Amino acid sequence: MKRFLFYISLSVLCACSSSDDDIIPDVQGQGKPISFSVDVQAEENIMTRAASMPLAHDFIVFGFKTVGGANQCVFDGYTVKYDGKDMTGITPYSYEGGTSFYGVKQEQKFWDYSADEYRFWSFVSNGVSVDVSSDKSKIKIGSSDTPMSSMEHIYVSEVSCVNSADYRNIVNMTFKRLCAKVELRFYTNIPLAGDEDVVNLTNIRFSPSNGDKIAAKGPVSIDYPLTGDPKAKITWPAGTLQYMAFDDVVLHNTNISSNSSAIAKPSEATGADVNVYTVYPFNGSTSFTLQLRQDGEYKTASVPAVYNNWKANYKYVYLFKIGEGLEPVLYDVKVEPWIQGGHQELEFKNW
């Protein structure tokens, strides 16, 4: 199975220092200010490349440098504003003269070439509360009452490390959403004569086989390492849903192939897309069980654990084939990247 990931390229054309005393600009007496260029791209191994588009959001950036083994905060929660300008020759993002996450006036920053390393991380809160630790290495997004419909609009970055050899190069940062999407689809190979000849699927449930619960609300905590392994550590909230419940599906003579499959809509919307469950990633290694009634007869199907390790920023489409007098069959699993303001058609092969 191929997996894909959308990422947002954050271009920092110049970086930073904590005071004028330790600035060593590339030209004596004149340093270049930091500028940001943010666009949406896809990994090189996808088959159809998405058009580049701006993030079109303000974001908060934290940046640190290491000098003599000590960390210094350079970007202390700077607010980078989206100005909506043409990206040709003029960056649509700026922070000069703005106010930081802490209400402090922002100033231009410059590379300090005596620093051993820089690290950057960022987030887009979109109105959801974010608590930042005193050492600026941890954040907590939302609370126990924060619904997924709010959390799905948040972007968080990975840590971007820049070594001294790359101080004059563009700094690329990777943003992604915190949640995943899960969609169920059905089609049938039963010969259906006309509009009144249908297959009724009712009491549709999709649940972890080991009894684990699915998380669809609550806070997320992220640790951003300032030294050592830069991989961010994400702590997801405890699950509350025992299963995903879907509305009834009626299969007609038009739903006789995988390309004309019918979507099973969630019985309770968790996000903006009413055709999917928007949930937190499911990191357990368990199979899932599909339960339903086919024209009143109880049926089940199993989805192996390898297809259920949901990741943030992905959409998982489970396609089931309904046969006559047989159990439903998992026909295909598709993994699709998803992002604000755009859609991409990808090519997949059946399992």
Side-chain angles (χ1 to χ4, degrees), residues 184-261:
L184 261 58
R185 286 178 169 266
F186 297 92
Y187 79 100
T188 183
N189 62 351
I190 300 174
L192 299 174
D195 292 340
E196 296 183 359
D197 190 7
V198 299
V199 175
N200 292 287
L201 306 180
T202 60
N203 303 104
I204 303 170
R205 294 183 178 182
F206 194 52
S207 58
S209 302
N210 66 356
D212 285 351
K213 295 182 179 181
I214 303 164
K217 67 174 184 178
V220 174
S221 298
I222 306 176
D223 291 2
Y224 289 106
L226 303 184
T227 60
D229 186 349
K231 184 176 178 58
K233 179 182 178 181
I234 302 179
T235 303
W236 309 104
T240 57
L241 296 178
Q242 291 183 327
Y243 54 83
M244 297 178 176
F246 295 85
D247 291 345
D248 297 347
V249 174
V250 180
L251 299 179
H252 300 266
N253 56 7
T254 57
N255 308 121
I256 56 174
S257 71
S258 60
N259 292 330
S260 60
S261 57

Side-chain angles (χ1 to χ4, degrees), residues 31-36 61 75 78-83 85 91-100 104-110:
K32 293 182 180 180
I34 298 172
S35 61
F36 296 92
V61 61
F75 279 99
Y78 268 35
T79 301
V80 181
K81 290 284 187 180
Y82 174 68
D83 293 332
K85 300 176 183 176
T91 175
Y93 301 93
S94 65
Y95 65 85
E96 186 179 2
T99 303
S100 76
V104 177
K105 185 178 179 180
Q106 300 173 171
E107 299 176 351
Q108 291 180 344
K109 299 291 183 177
F110 305 86

Side-chain angles (χ1 to χ4, degrees), residues 79-306:
T79 301
V80 181
K81 290 284 187 180
Y82 174 68
D83 293 332
K85 300 176 183 176
D86 190 335
M87 293 188 70
T88 304
I90 304 176
T91 175
Y93 301 93
S94 65
Y95 65 85
E96 186 179 2
T99 303
S100 76
F101 183 74
Y102 302 102
V104 177
K105 185 178 179 180
Q106 300 173 171
E107 299 176 351
Q108 291 180 344
K109 299 291 183 177
F110 305 86
W111 285 113
D112 176 1
Y113 295 106
S114 68
D116 301 316
E117 181 188 63
Y118 279 86
R119 293 195 176 197
F120 303 89
W121 60 267
S122 306
F123 65 83
V124 178
S125 67
N126 272 330
V128 176
S129 64
V130 178
D131 295 326
V132 183
S133 65
S134 58
D135 65 353
K136 317 299 169 57
S137 69
K138 300 179 181 64
I139 60 174
K140 178 182 177 183
I141 304 173
S143 66
S144 59
D145 296 325
T146 303
M148 187 59 65
S149 57
S150 296
M151 298 295 283
E152 73 171 312
H153 299 296
I154 293 170
Y155 292 93
V156 297
S157 80
E158 298 176 358
V159 175
S160 180
C161 295
V162 181
N163 297 318
S164 58
D166 297 319
Y167 282 175
R168 291 184 58 84
N169 295 334
I170 294 174
V171 177
N172 292 317
M173 299 189 70
T174 302
F175 284 81
K176 60 185 177 183
R177 299 199 193 204
L178 288 168
C179 36
K181 292 182 178 181
V182 178
E183 180 178 286
L184 261 58
R185 286 178 169 266
F186 297 92
Y187 79 100
T188 183
N189 62 351
I190 300 174
L192 299 174
D195 292 340
E196 296 183 359
D197 190 7
V198 299
V199 175
N200 292 287
L201 306 180
T202 60
N203 303 104
I204 303 170
R205 294 183 178 182
F206 194 52
S207 58
S209 302
N210 66 356
D212 285 351
K213 295 182 179 181
I214 303 164
K217 67 174 184 178
V220 174
S221 298
I222 306 176
D223 291 2
Y224 289 106
L226 303 184
T227 60
D229 186 349
K231 184 176 178 58
K233 179 182 178 181
I234 302 179
T235 303
W236 309 104
T240 57
L241 296 178
Q242 291 183 327
Y243 54 83
M244 297 178 176
F246 295 85
D247 291 345
D248 297 347
V249 174
V250 180
L251 299 179
H252 300 266
N253 56 7
T254 57
N255 308 121
I256 56 174
S257 71
S258 60
N259 292 330
S260 60
S261 57
I263 298 175
K265 292 186 177 181
S267 299
E268 181 180 357
T270 55
D273 189 344
V274 297
N275 291 320
V276 302
Y277 267 96
T278 304
V279 295
Y280 284 121
F282 193 83
N283 292 318
S285 57
T286 180
S287 63
F288 267 59
T289 300
L290 170 72
Q291 299 174 320
L292 56 79
R293 289 188 179 275
Q294 178 180 332
D295 291 329
E297 184 179 353
Y298 182 76
K299 303 278 188 175
T300 64
S302 180
V303 178
V306 67

